[in-house]
């Protein structure tokens, strides 16, 4: 009787798992059909060329890239996608924080004069492996004032402990998302209560995974 009960329970579990897998497939397997305006999709990238410092780049107050500046003589060149930082069309904000680098194992206390900064926004479209640049020239963001010193140009804010530059740029996207725009500052909330609430949600999700409840996860 016990063996039969175990076999029946196993059959029921397999049946339930199959039904849950089918439910997950039904929800996620057709998700691509809900994608709209695929032909209008524009990929925005932050083009970063910065050397001789540590730095942080933010788009709409969310970090895009951070570099600790572990080699004061080195430089970083990259193209960082930023569409996930853009909720809707219109003016977007950007911020660049320049910080002292690490040189010979020690963090400098001020920003050296040899800092080089180039930050711009590029608009792209991808088609398979091909890339189409939609604008002849990227949107240049950095217009920092330079001073002439010993026959060369250096940034006016060189020698300070931090250089912060901010501004805006336009973006056109075929969507409008709520995202984090209605987020609430939790700094003043009871942290112990918040932790308990977060753990409770994690435990709920953990149970769904343990039970292989793919339908509810989907």
């Amino acid at each position: 009787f016990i063996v039969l009960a175990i076999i029946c329970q196993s059959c029921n579990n397999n049946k339930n798992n199959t039904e849950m897998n089918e439910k997950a497939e039904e929800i996620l397997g057709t998700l691509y059909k809900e994608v709209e305006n695929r032909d209008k999709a524009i990929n925005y990238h932050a083009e970063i060329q910065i050397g001789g410092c540590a730095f942080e780049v933010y788009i709409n107050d969310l970090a895009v890239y951070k570099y600790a500046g572990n080699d004061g003589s080195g430089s970083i060149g990259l193209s960082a996608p930023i569409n996930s930082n853009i909720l809707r069309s219109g003016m977007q904000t950007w911020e660049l924080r320049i910080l002292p680098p690490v040189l010979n194992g020690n963090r400098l206390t001020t920003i050296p004069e040899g800092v080089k900064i180039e930050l711009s926004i590029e608009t792209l479209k991808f088609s398979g492996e091909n890339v189409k640049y939609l604008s002849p020239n990227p949107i240049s963001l950095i217009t920092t004032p330079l001073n002439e010193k010993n026959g060369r140009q250096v940034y006016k804010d060189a020698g300070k402990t931090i250089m912060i530059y901010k501004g805006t740029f336009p973006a056109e996207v075929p969507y409008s998302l709520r995202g984090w725009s209605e987020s609430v500052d939790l700094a003043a909330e009871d942290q112990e209560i918040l932790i308990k609430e977060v753990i409770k949600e994690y435990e709920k999700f953990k149970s769904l995974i343990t039970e292989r409840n793919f339908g509810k996860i989907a």
Side-chain angles (χ1 to χ4, degrees):
F1 175 78
I2 294 175
V3 173
L4 288 174
I6 292 174
I7 292 174
C8 289
Q9 180 64 40
S10 177
C11 290
N12 288 333
N13 287 341
N14 289 335
K15 181 182 178 181
N16 290 337
N17 286 341
T18 300
E19 291 176 351
M20 286 187 287
N21 286 336
E22 290 176 351
K23 183 66 175 176
E25 180 64 27
E26 176 187 340
I27 294 173
L28 301 179
T30 59
L31 198 59
Y32 71 95
K33 295 180 181 179
E34 298 183 27
V35 177
E36 299 178 1
N37 302 315
R38 186 187 299 272
D39 59 327
K40 298 179 181 178
I42 297 177
N43 293 274
Y44 286 88
H45 282 231
E47 304 293 325
I48 302 170
Q49 298 284 339
I50 300 179
C53 61
F55 67 87
E56 300 174 353
V57 177
Y58 296 84
I59 302 294
N60 291 326
D61 296 325
L62 297 180
V64 170
Y65 194 84
K66 295 183 179 183
Y67 176 61
N70 294 328
D71 181 1
S73 61
S75 62
I76 293 287
L78 60 100
S79 178
I82 61 172
N83 279 69
S84 59
N85 292 44
I86 299 174
L87 294 181
R88 59 185 62 86
S89 297
M91 298 304 292
Q92 318 297 320
T93 66
W94 64 270
E95 180 176 343
L96 173 63
R97 303 174 187 175
I98 301 296
L99 305 161
V102 171
L103 195 59
N104 299 324
N106 297 310
R107 175 77 62 186
L108 300 184
T109 57
T110 59
I111 299 165
E113 294 180 352
V115 169
K116 302 295 181 184
I117 306 171
E118 289 184 26
L119 181 62
S120 59
I121 300 296
E122 186 72 90
T123 53
L124 318 169
K125 280 185 81 80
F126 292 97
S127 178
E129 296 181 357
N130 299 319
V131 180
K132 179 181 179 181
Y133 292 86
L134 301 183
S135 56
N137 298 303
I139 304 172
S140 181
L141 301 184
I142 296 298
T143 55
T144 55
L146 298 170
N147 285 343
E148 193 76 23
K149 187 173 183 179
N150 298 327
R152 62 191 182 97
Q153 289 187 320
V154 299
Y155 287 100
K156 185 178 179 180
D157 291 334
K160 294 184 178 180
T161 56
I162 186 171
M163 295 160 57
I164 298 179
Y165 303 104
K166 300 180 180 181
T168 60
F169 66 93
E172 292 293 330
V173 291
Y175 57 80
S176 181
L177 305 175
R178 182 173 62 180
W180 61 90
S181 63
E182 298 178 12
S183 297
V184 177
D185 185 356
L186 301 177
E189 300 289 330
D190 187 311
Q191 299 301 301
E192 291 187 6
I193 294 177
L194 285 177
I195 290 173
K196 289 178 181 178
E197 291 177 350
V198 171
I199 291 176
K200 183 179 179 181
E201 289 301 312
Y202 270 96
E203 291 293 341
K204 186 192 300 181
F205 197 71
K206 175 185 174 183
S207 297
L208 293 176
I209 296 174
T210 303
E211 297 164 4
R212 299 176 66 80
N213 195 334
F214 302 122
K216 279 199 171 183
I217 293 174

